[in-house]
Amino acid sequence: MSDRIDQLREDFRRESGEVTGEQEATALRDRWVGRKSGLLTAEMKTLGRLSPEDRRLTGQLLNHLKEEIEQELELLESRFAAARELAQLASEQIDVTLPGRHLPAGHLHPITLLRQRIEDIFVSMGYHIEDGPEIETDFYNFDALNIPAIHPARSRQDTFYITGKLALRSQTSTVQIHSMQRRQPPLRVIAPGRVFRRDTPDATHNPMFYQVEGLLVERGITLGDLKGTIEEFVRRMFGPQTRTRFRPSYFPFVEPGAEIDYSCFKCGGTGCRVCKGSGWIEMGGSGMVHPNVLRGVGIDPDEYTGFAFGLGLDRLCALMYGLDDIRLLYENDIRFLEQFR
Amino acid sequence: MKISYNWLKEIVETDLDPRELASRLTMAGLAVDAVEPHGDDQILEFDLTSNRPDCLSHLGIAREVAALSGLQVRMPEAEIKPVVERTGDVTTVEIRDADLCPRYTARVIRGVKIGPSPDWLVRRLEALGQRSVNNVADITNYVMLETGQPLHAFDLDRLQGRRIIVRRAVDGEKMTTLDGEERELTSSMLVIADAERAVAIGGIKGGEDSGISETTVDVLLEAAWFTPVQIRQTSKALALSTEASYRFERGTDPGIVSYASDRASALIARIAGGEVLDGLIDAYPGRSAVEASFQPILFRESRYEALTGLRVELAEAERILTALGCRVRQGSSSLASGTLEVVSPTWRIDVRIEEDLIEEVARIAGYDLLETSLPGSAGAGAYLIGEDDRRATRRLLTSAGFHEAVSFSFVNAGLDAQMSSAAEESRLVLLDPIDASQSHMRTALAGGLLRALEHNLNHGSRNVRLFEIGKCFQANQLEPDGRPTEIERLALIATGARNEFDWQDAGSRLDFYDLKGILEALADQLGLAALRFDPGAEIPWLHPGRAAMVSLANGDPLGSVGQLHPRLVAGFKVRQPILLAEIDFQRLLAAARVEARYNQLPKFPTVVRDLALLIETSVTWQSIDETIRSLNLTHLVDLRIFDIYRGRELPEGRHSIALSLRYRAADRTLTDEEITAAQEQVVRILTMRFGAELR
Ligand SMILES: [Zn+2]
């Protein structure tokens, strides 16, 4: 009987070795272990004719063979299934190097990018962002800022007038006055915005540009606080290694006044093209709020002192991004705008 | 302003080299822009602030150097050896308008020989960019550059009546200046006249036929002090700016007038020969007013510390102020301790109050002494109200492919009028625009964006999306202080491919619904109830069939969205539609937000039923939507349109619309009968109202 089973095993091995496709594998399964006509199934049915002793022994051998065959069939089938899946997947291949489908994002204007960065820094230092009108009365634009009646800035050559009394503001310092009229000290204000001067556009001028004005009025504020505040700002803006330098200067609404320089963010102070070899970059004007300005808004200069500073965003923008012509800022050419992030 | 290093060293013996000197002066507030070699000399180029006219001379800079280095100024030699004859015997000076000319001095030098200047003088002037004319004219120039006092030399023989009258011009009075120009004067201008006519425009320029010439023998030398305002106004009115007017309009030193006259007279006698007559005619009607303007100012140690954060020894402050030319009084019984009483020198017209003195002491001591500190905490900072929404708007728009534009606040009048609903009388006009075609304050952003779009199309870009947030101006609404109202607006302009980088759908173009969708998304992003869009056939700059008025859910108008009117873009090289939206951003930011509220998630299934209807094309989606909603179907939870189909096989004037209706009950699964009944109601009302047919 064991000869017969060895024969069966040999037959199966031979047949399975000849299988080349998935359908042949299914046919092989049907032929050997099919429920109705499988060779092994038929063989099992013959067991009844044997003696109990032989039946047990042969049954064991047959079952063993059946397990072997089942295992072999599964192996065979899974091999073909894997191949089929591979073929399917291969047929579904795409070119993953083609561009993804997304809408390229637009970009914020570089002035906005800088303004937001500066606002973030000062808000974290306890300042309130404030806003003021772009068309101002003489009072806010000049008188309240202690700008003398004969100052050239008031002339129609320098300032855009709409009527004799109304003009486009020539500096964001006007917001100082609005802020101090709205609220009593202590006061910390940052006012970014557009300002206007009658400059004919060229590579370094526009008749409109952006400034950021800062104002702090509290008890016991000194020039040292101003310098410390500016140092803190430039370090956050340009990096912790940035140094600050104060030079005496003159602006009618501050006294003492100072011009602020910071060490060049490009070369670190050794001199390069950005800083024109000096190692320093001018940030803008600053100083202690002039007592006339404080008195004008009803603040006692003996009780409160304060500082103010201003910086030009357009120039900063030109320096930081290396613009060779600042007229580009307001031409709104998308080939320009898409360079900033 | 240019300063010669060699010349400067004649007045103050500094041992600093030119570059060190430039750096010291810069850090003391006198900015040196450049140091350039010139022969064996070095020229320092200063960029001075307008409060320091006293430094517009070698003497002025020398004083600063002296104060910074603890040196003494050596005044240039001005000794004259007058002859017996007196100036007052040969000429007279009469000041009729002392308010404009508080001081006028005249001196006569007889028997000069006009000729070329000696080489050293020519070189000095040339080093500072001045052309040599003749010896006497050069000397007046030289002394001005040296002392800051402008001077003028008249030919005494050419002065009618040999006298000087300082007076306002007569309206319409004419005079030919040295440059050969005939000038018409007004009564607000000051002239120097002789017995008959104006011979110079006071403090600005001399006259052609009274000046020095080769034949001049007797010179009348003028040194005067004119008040700055009138000089500035006259100079501007005549469009005539000179070295003299530049100094006078900023403020010269009333105290140096006679010294400068002496110095120039001495040089003329030395170089051009001649004899200086005895006695300077010094008409000084303004003396008491000038002196009164230099009142004692208190300098308090405590105030110095309060403003600078630095301590100063009173003796040190006194040393600095004295070195700067102030008269300082300390320790008198009437003065509180820690206080100085200071009178500023006549050349420092900018030093008027205690804070000015504090700056003087601080800047000479050096701003680098400042100890930095940070003001203590004063609570949390804050952004502008609405800034988070502004930033959210910017993020949304950039994500949608829009670049941010920033345009000038002034625009072309015609363009703005064409693209804005503002009334004609609300337009603000600049009195003196830089560019006559940009003369109006914008009442809307659209004009600027259209210009920007045109610029981009002209430079080869075909797919352009821009937005701008900015203020616009309305003259017909005034603030309490008379200022026009400023309104923050938002505008978008877009044209071209829906996504030029989508290689499977590069041909698809942006249309009305793209831009409308962005406004809808914006309202959603800001947490507003859905915006209303109503047909806007009356918006002049938009295509009458492709425009909508935009309003808030409560009906408050916001603006418009649509395709640009073809008439406006006839000149453009593109045929693709150009979409434009503009809204009152301020109103959008201020609009009421929908509060977020939790709704239980549905427990029972939603049933979706589609409906295809043949309906007239003139029936708007809004009317269909509102009609179905007016049925108040209890279980209808959503209604969408998902297709519009126009085909030849459909009857003329009709199209097929596909609707998707979603039904759900909160407490049970809906039955087929319930849903069918609802659908029948929908079909019935659409049929009744619009003649729709079920397909
Ligand atoms: Zn550098």
Side-chain angles (χ1 to χ4, degrees):
Chain A
M1 195 58 212
S2 72
D3 287 353
R4 164 109 186 110
I5 286 173
D6 285 344
Q7 182 62 46
L8 283 169
R9 178 177 286 117
E10 204 173 304
D11 288 350
F12 176 77
R13 290 223 167 116
R14 195 188 61 246
E15 285 177 29
S16 76
E18 288 163 2
V19 167
T20 58
E22 206 173 8
Q23 282 178 348
E24 287 171 39
T26 310
L28 186 70
R29 174 180 286 281
D30 284 349
R31 178 170 147 71
W32 284 88
V33 294
R35 203 160 284 178
K36 281 174 186 154
S37 57
L39 287 174
L40 277 193
T41 318
E43 206 64 39
M44 288 291 196
K45 282 177 184 160
T46 64
L47 286 178
R49 286 182 237 142
L50 299 183
S51 68
E53 180 67 4
D54 283 353
R55 192 187 305 155
R56 194 180 54 82
L57 199 67
T58 311
Q60 268 178 359
L61 288 172
L62 270 177
N63 272 330
H64 198 70
L65 178 61
K66 192 179 175 191
E67 269 170 39
E68 263 180 63
I69 286 178
E70 290 275 6
Q71 264 179 21
E72 186 71 17
L73 281 169
E74 253 163 55
L75 206 67
L76 209 54
E77 283 162 355
S78 73
R79 213 162 63 222
F80 287 120
R84 175 167 44 93
E85 189 182 42
L86 270 179
Q88 173 70 27
L89 293 175
S91 76
E92 289 169 6
Q93 186 174 353
I94 59 166
D95 179 359
V96 298
T97 66
L98 280 169
R101 191 176 296 113
H102 82 288
L103 185 64
H107 293 252
L108 291 184
H109 195 279
I111 292 281
T112 301
L113 292 171
L114 283 184
R115 177 179 59 75
Q116 290 183 345
R117 246 176 91 184
I118 293 170
E119 287 185 9
D120 292 347
I121 291 172
F122 280 108
V123 166
S124 77
M125 290 168 74
Y127 287 73
H128 288 241
I129 310 298
E130 293 199 17
D131 192 17
E134 290 174 17
I135 296 180
E136 278 289 11
T137 61
D138 262 7
F139 173 77
Y140 289 100
N141 209 16
F142 301 119
D143 301 347
L145 290 169
N146 196 40
I147 295 174
I150 56 150
H151 198 278
R154 291 181 180 246
S155 74
R156 284 174 62 166
Q157 228 154 334
D158 288 8
T159 294
F160 286 106
Y161 281 89
I162 284 175
T163 66
K165 287 274 160 211
L166 287 177
L168 307 192
R169 67 175 171 196
S170 13
Q171 61 269 318
T172 43
S173 312
T174 53
V175 185
Q176 287 185 29
I177 309 302
H178 289 288
S179 301
M180 290 189 284
Q181 284 181 334
R182 278 196 287 257
R183 298 194 280 128
Q184 280 296 302
L187 207 62
R188 293 182 188 197
V189 173
I190 293 293
R194 2 179 110 186
V195 300
F196 306 86
R197 292 190 194 161
R198 285 192 75 254
D199 285 325
T200 306
D202 62 30
T204 55
H205 293 89
N206 274 313
M208 180 190 96
F209 53 99
Y210 279 79
Q211 284 185 334
V212 174
E213 186 80 7
L215 171 74
L216 184 146
V217 182
E218 285 168 30
R219 283 197 178 84
I221 293 302
T222 68
L223 263 182
D225 293 318
L226 168 60
K227 195 169 182 204
T229 300
I230 297 297
E231 275 182 0
E232 180 70 15
F233 165 68
V234 297
R235 280 198 293 253
R236 294 202 200 183
M237 189 77 190
F238 306 110
Q241 72 292 345
T242 317
R243 286 162 295 122
T244 311
R245 179 175 90 168
F246 270 39
R247 283 182 288 119
S249 191
Y250 169 70
F251 308 95
F253 35 95
V254 290
E255 192 70 39
E259 188 80 46
I260 306 162
D261 300 334
Y262 57 94
S263 57
C264 177
F265 53 80
K266 190 89 179 182
C267 64
T270 54
C272 69
R273 259 189 58 194
V274 170
C275 56
K276 297 202 182 86
S278 73
W280 295 96
I281 295 176
E282 272 184 37
M283 184 177 119
S286 68
M288 301 302 290
V289 181
H290 198 286
N292 291 355
V293 173
L294 291 175
R295 267 183 226 112
V297 291
I299 295 174
D300 178 358
D302 286 321
E303 186 179 358
Y304 290 103
T305 51
F307 60 69
F309 56 87
L311 62 104
L313 278 188
D314 300 49
R315 217 178 85 81
L316 187 58
C317 197
L319 287 169
M320 288 183 73
Y321 295 113
L323 307 188
D324 51 0
D325 188 336
I326 65 163
R327 281 172 292 197
L328 287 167
L329 284 173
Y330 306 116
E331 273 174 9
N332 300 321
D333 191 316
I334 58 173
R335 297 167 303 171
F336 172 77
L337 294 172
E338 67 192 5
Q339 298 181 31
F340 305 97
R341 55 193 77 224
Chain B
M1 189 213 37
K2 292 184 164 74
I3 290 290
S4 147
Y5 177 71
N6 289 347
W7 193 345
L8 190 66
K9 281 191 74 156
E10 288 175 9
I11 309 175
V12 60
E13 283 180 60
T14 175
D15 49 11
L16 295 173
D17 71 38
R19 295 202 167 269
E20 288 167 344
L21 191 66
S23 153
R24 285 294 297 280
L25 288 167
T26 297
M27 293 312 291
L30 303 165
V32 179
D33 276 356
V35 180
E36 304 283 357
H38 187 276
D40 61 350
D41 200 358
Q42 300 269 338
I43 306 300
L44 281 67
E45 180 78 51
F46 283 82
D47 179 15
L48 295 172
T49 52
S50 65
N51 62 323
R52 295 303 303 273
D54 64 297
C55 285
L56 291 168
S57 67
H58 287 74
L59 175 61
I61 297 295
R63 286 191 193 112
E64 290 284 314
V65 175
L68 282 168
S69 320
L71 300 169
Q72 292 295 316
V73 162
R74 197 172 52 203
M75 293 297 279
E77 186 265 313
E79 199 188 330
I80 44 182
K81 298 176 192 74
V83 294
V84 184
E85 195 176 2
R86 295 186 58 83
T87 309
D89 295 337
V90 297
T91 187
T92 58
V93 170
E94 179 192 349
I95 299 180
R96 288 190 187 155
D97 290 298
D99 55 329
L100 305 184
C101 177
R103 187 177 191 185
Y104 192 99
T105 70
R107 161 95 69 183
V108 169
I109 303 112
R110 272 218 149 129
V112 300
K113 190 163 174 10
I114 304 299
S117 293
D119 283 352
W120 68 266
L121 179 52
V122 174
R123 277 202 308 274
R124 275 244 155 119
L125 293 177
E126 276 175 354
L128 301 180
Q130 306 269 329
R131 202 169 45 85
S132 171
V133 182
N134 60 50
N135 48 10
V136 170
D138 287 357
I139 288 165
T140 59
N141 242 336
Y142 182 85
V143 173
M144 174 183 71
L145 296 171
E146 188 172 64
T147 65
Q149 171 67 48
L151 300 161
H152 184 65
F154 291 102
D155 183 333
L156 183 62
D157 290 332
R158 289 158 97 176
L159 295 179
Q160 302 298 317
R162 298 187 148 235
R163 52 190 288 224
I164 291 288
I165 299 166
V166 183
R167 59 163 170 86
R168 282 185 161 81
V170 179
D171 278 320
E173 188 171 357
K174 291 199 173 68
M175 201 199 94
T176 303
T177 43
L178 267 170
D179 49 13
E181 291 265 329
E182 191 186 60
R183 317 247 173 203
E184 189 171 328
L185 309 174
T186 71
S187 60
S188 62
M189 300 171 177
L190 187 78
V191 294
I192 312 304
D194 60 16
E196 286 173 9
R197 70 218 156 121
V199 291
I201 301 170
I204 300 180
K205 210 172 186 68
E208 190 177 36
D209 54 5
S210 61
I212 300 297
S213 70
E214 281 164 28
T215 60
T216 300
V217 180
D218 297 346
V219 170
L220 184 144
L221 181 70
E222 165 200 295
W225 189 67
F226 299 103
T227 47
V229 181
Q230 180 272 137
I231 298 285
R232 182 182 298 279
Q233 286 162 349
T234 302
S235 164
K236 190 176 287 174
L238 296 175
L240 180 61
S241 180
T242 61
E243 292 271 346
S245 70
Y246 185 83
R247 286 171 172 77
F248 281 127
E249 70 185 19
R250 280 163 179 75
T252 52
D253 175 5
I256 203 164
V257 175
S258 58
Y259 166 79
S261 177
D262 286 355
R263 168 72 173 153
S265 301
L267 283 174
I268 290 172
R270 205 176 89 202
I271 293 168
E275 355 181 86
V276 182
L277 301 200
D278 191 22
L280 177 73
I281 297 180
D282 188 353
Y284 198 174
R287 179 190 292 272
S288 56
V290 167
E291 281 169 359
S293 68
F294 291 92
Q295 290 295 317
I297 313 164
L298 292 186
F299 174 94
R300 293 168 294 170
E301 257 178 339
S302 57
R303 184 68 178 159
Y304 185 84
E305 193 179 340
L307 281 179
T308 63
L310 295 173
R311 288 182 176 280
V312 66
E313 295 290 329
L314 213 53
E316 172 68 358
E318 181 175 6
R319 187 195 68 73
I320 289 173
L321 291 169
T322 307
L324 287 169
C326 297
R327 280 183 290 131
V328 182
R329 202 160 64 89
Q330 183 194 5
S332 92
S333 55
S334 61
L335 277 179
S337 69
T339 304
L340 299 174
E341 196 181 78
V342 182
V343 178
S344 66
T346 51
W347 58 87
R348 290 304 301 271
I349 54 169
D350 61 316
V351 177
R352 283 284 177 270
I353 59 171
E354 185 175 20
E355 284 73 13
D356 297 328
L357 296 176
I358 289 169
E359 176 175 283
E360 290 306 303
V361 173
R363 78 180 175 88
I364 297 297
Y367 273 16
D368 50 358
L369 295 179
L370 288 174
E371 294 196 18
T372 63
S373 49
L374 270 180
S377 168
Y383 290 93
L384 211 56
I385 292 170
E387 182 60 15
D388 46 350
D389 286 339
R390 280 186 198 87
R391 290 194 184 192
T393 301
R394 285 190 162 92
R395 262 194 304 275
L396 178 108
L397 295 177
T398 52
S399 303
F402 284 77
H403 294 295
E404 184 180 20
V406 175
S407 312
F408 288 151
S409 301
F410 22 80
V411 291
N412 181 276
L415 187 64
D416 190 60
Q418 233 170 1
M419 306 200 60
S420 156
S421 53
E424 187 53 40
E425 64 272 19
S426 70
R427 293 173 200 282
L428 292 158
V429 190
L430 294 177
L431 293 181
D432 313 282
I434 288 277
D435 175 352
S437 72
Q438 310 253 302
S439 57
H440 280 52
M441 296 307 287
R442 60 187 184 185
T443 61
L445 300 173
L449 282 189
L450 185 62
R451 256 303 116 74
L453 177 76
E454 198 179 357
H455 170 92
N456 279 289
L457 295 176
N458 286 342
H459 287 79
S461 302
R462 281 289 167 274
N463 306 300
V464 183
R465 293 177 207 197
L466 291 168
F467 77 94
E468 180 163 4
I469 295 174
K471 286 183 178 172
C472 295
F473 306 86
Q474 294 263 313
N476 53 354
Q477 291 164 277
L478 295 183
E479 304 292 332
D481 60 0
R483 288 182 298 102
T485 302
E486 300 182 11
I487 297 165
E488 189 176 23
R489 298 178 69 83
L490 162 68
L492 305 102
I493 199 162
T495 191
R498 191 163 280 141
N499 184 353
E500 61 173 310
F501 297 97
D502 186 344
W503 41 273
Q504 287 172 314
D505 186 24
S508 154
R509 298 266 162 267
L510 288 169
D511 64 22
F512 174 88
Y513 301 105
D514 290 295
L515 211 58
K516 178 179 175 182
I518 285 169
L519 294 182
E520 290 170 326
L522 179 59
D524 190 42
Q525 172 77 49
L526 299 183
L528 303 172
L531 301 178
R532 278 188 64 98
F533 295 85
D534 296 298
E538 308 296 310
I539 303 162
W541 60 92
L542 296 179
H543 187 308
R546 298 184 173 184
M549 318 271 285
V550 187
S551 38
L552 288 169
N554 69 4
D556 286 352
L558 278 181
S560 61
V561 55
Q563 184 175 328
L564 265 187
H565 199 293
R567 187 166 27 79
L568 274 175
V569 292
F572 288 22
K573 286 184 192 122
V574 293
R575 300 224 178 282
Q576 63 207 22
I578 295 166
L579 293 321
L580 176 79
E582 173 152 5
I583 59 169
D584 182 334
F585 193 48
Q586 208 162 292
R587 184 170 281 173
L588 188 79
L589 293 182
R593 307 296 142 125
V594 178
E595 295 245 344
R597 284 280 303 276
Y598 161 74
N599 284 315
Q600 248 182 11
L601 301 186
K603 293 200 174 66
F604 295 91
T606 306
V607 180
V608 184
R609 285 289 173 88
D610 294 346
L611 207 56
L613 292 162
L614 211 55
I615 197 162
E616 276 176 35
T617 53
S618 61
V619 178
T620 65
W621 165 244
Q622 185 172 305
S623 55
I624 295 169
D625 182 77
E626 283 173 358
T627 302
I628 296 174
R629 290 184 195 280
S630 72
L631 290 170
N632 285 321
L633 297 171
T634 328
H635 300 124
L636 182 68
V637 290
D638 194 17
L639 168 62
R640 292 180 203 171
I641 179 158
F642 67 93
D643 192 28
I644 294 188
Y645 172 75
R646 291 166 199 255
R648 285 223 184 111
E649 72 277 20
L650 300 183
E652 181 79 12
R654 302 198 137 205
H655 57 192
S656 163
I657 60 170
L659 307 181
S660 168
L661 297 96
R662 282 149 204 267
Y663 297 94
R664 190 175 60 232
D667 52 353
R668 64 201 159 85
T669 301
L670 290 170
T671 65
D672 219 31
E673 290 73 42
E674 285 175 297
I675 293 163
T676 307
Q679 289 284 94
E680 277 167 3
Q681 278 195 69
V682 170
V683 173
R684 200 177 313 128
I685 195 160
L686 294 179
T687 309
M688 241 167 56
R689 194 88 34 105
F690 306 118
E693 290 170 53
L694 204 55
R695 283 194 84 201

